[in-house]
Amino acid sequence: MPKQDPPYLRIADHLRRRVLGGEWKLGERLPSRAKMAKSYEVGTNVIQRAQEVLISEGLLEGKTGSGTYLRPPVPRLPMVRSRAVADFPSAPAPGGEWESESSALVPATEEVAQRLRIEPGELVVHTLYEFLLERRIVQLADSWEPMALTDRTSVTLPSYGPFHGRTVVNRMASLGIRVVRAVERPRPARPTAEQAALLGIGPNDLVTVVERTYLDDSGRPVETADLVIPDSRWEIRYELSLEEPE
């Protein structure tokens, strides 16, 4: 006897056909999970799992405290990555902006310590960045800087002081530290629950995590960051200069 798919997958398949058949308009709210559960004669948890399948496919979107909606198509914008180390932090697109919140005296985890070439537990400054476009969060970043470099200076906290809003390159230059190189390692990932909520995407949506580390002219890491970029909204492009150095 052939094995049947779980109920949530069968319902997801049926909902997919209803969505693609035009039963709901773009942006329209679907019936409540309780109402759907009654019509399909299953529990609300089964409906939730079925809807999560379609959310991961980009057909639906969930809005906290509001319900589930037919997802309007979101244009996929180009995000150009270049060799210019002064680009971070920066707006992800023209007309964008960013907000940040910094915490000092944070012990470095083993992973962060390895990336910064310091001992685990050494103190770092941790900054959370939210990049916005049309007042909507479209990209996130976690940044860590060794406190040994900036402690007791006016640039210790990127979110405060006279250099608030300036790039890592500018802030380090004020201390006589010349940032000359960036190393990036992009990898596909799934967002955490908090990241998905902030970005307004589904828990199963793909994101690209760009692990970036800035180095000074001696090769010392001065900052490392994880950029979280929703794959459904951004097409990452790299522009590399081919000019021979003088």
Side-chain angles (χ1 to χ4, degrees):
M1 185 175 181
K3 185 178 179 180
Q4 289 188 332
D5 290 332
Y8 81 93
L9 286 181
R10 296 200 299 273
I11 293 173
D13 184 58
H14 188 255
L15 279 177
R16 188 185 298 107
R17 292 198 299 270
R18 294 173 68 182
V19 166
L20 297 177
E23 186 168 335
W24 297 286
K25 297 178 182 179
L26 293 178
E28 184 178 351
R29 184 179 182 273
L30 271 64
S32 68
R33 288 175 183 166
K35 188 173 181 179
M36 280 197 167
K38 185 176 181 180
S39 67
Y40 280 105
E41 298 183 343
V42 295
T44 55
N45 62 318
V46 176
I47 297 298
Q48 180 178 345
R49 292 191 67 185
Q51 289 180 344
E52 286 175 351
V53 171
L54 301 192
I55 289 173
S56 70
E57 295 175 0
L59 294 175
L60 302 179
E61 63 178 343
K63 298 182 180 179
T64 304
S66 177
T68 305
Y69 295 76
L70 190 60
R71 184 175 185 174
V74 179
R76 201 161 181 254
L77 301 175
M79 178 180 290
V80 179
R81 319 290 297 163
S82 72
R83 293 181 62 182
V85 295
D87 285 345
F88 180 78
S90 63
E97 56 186 344
W98 53 274
E99 298 176 354
S100 63
E101 183 65 34
S102 299
S103 301
L105 304 173
V106 177
T109 64
E110 287 193 13
E111 180 187 356
V112 169
Q114 183 178 20
R115 287 160 59 170
L116 292 174
R117 299 181 201 163
I118 61 177
E119 292 297 321
E122 283 193 39
L123 298 181
V124 298
V125 175
H126 179 212
T127 303
L128 297 172
Y129 291 93
E130 294 178 354
F131 297 82
L132 300 96
L133 191 61
E134 297 178 352
R135 293 179 295 180
R136 185 177 186 179
I137 300 175
V138 294
Q139 179 186 331
L140 302 169
D142 273 278
S143 164
W144 299 269
E145 298 176 3
M147 277 202 68
L149 293 180
T150 61
D151 195 18
R152 302 179 188 276
T153 72
S154 61
V155 299
T156 302
L157 299 176
S159 300
Y160 307 97
F163 280 79
H164 167 62
R166 304 292 291 276
T167 68
V168 175
V169 177
N170 295 145
R171 290 175 47 254
M172 292 297 171
S174 73
L175 303 178
I177 299 172
R178 184 167 171 260
V179 180
V180 298
R181 189 159 61 95
V183 177
E184 292 194 344
R185 296 176 57 195
R187 67 178 186 274
R190 301 288 183 186
T192 65
E194 182 180 5
Q195 290 169 346
L198 287 171
L199 292 166
I201 61 177
N204 293 315
D205 281 12
L206 280 175
V207 297
T208 299
V209 175
V210 178
E211 176 190 309
R212 174 157 67 187
T213 301
Y214 279 164
L215 302 100
D216 66 12
D217 51 7
S218 70
R220 173 183 56 178
V222 300
E223 187 256 11
T224 192
D226 285 337
L227 282 64
V228 182
I229 304 168
D231 183 71
S232 60
R233 294 181 182 157
W234 298 102
E235 179 183 85
I236 299 177
R237 302 176 184 178
Y238 280 86
E239 290 188 0
L240 306 175
S241 174
L242 301 181
E243 293 182 0
E244 292 290 339
E246 294 182 2

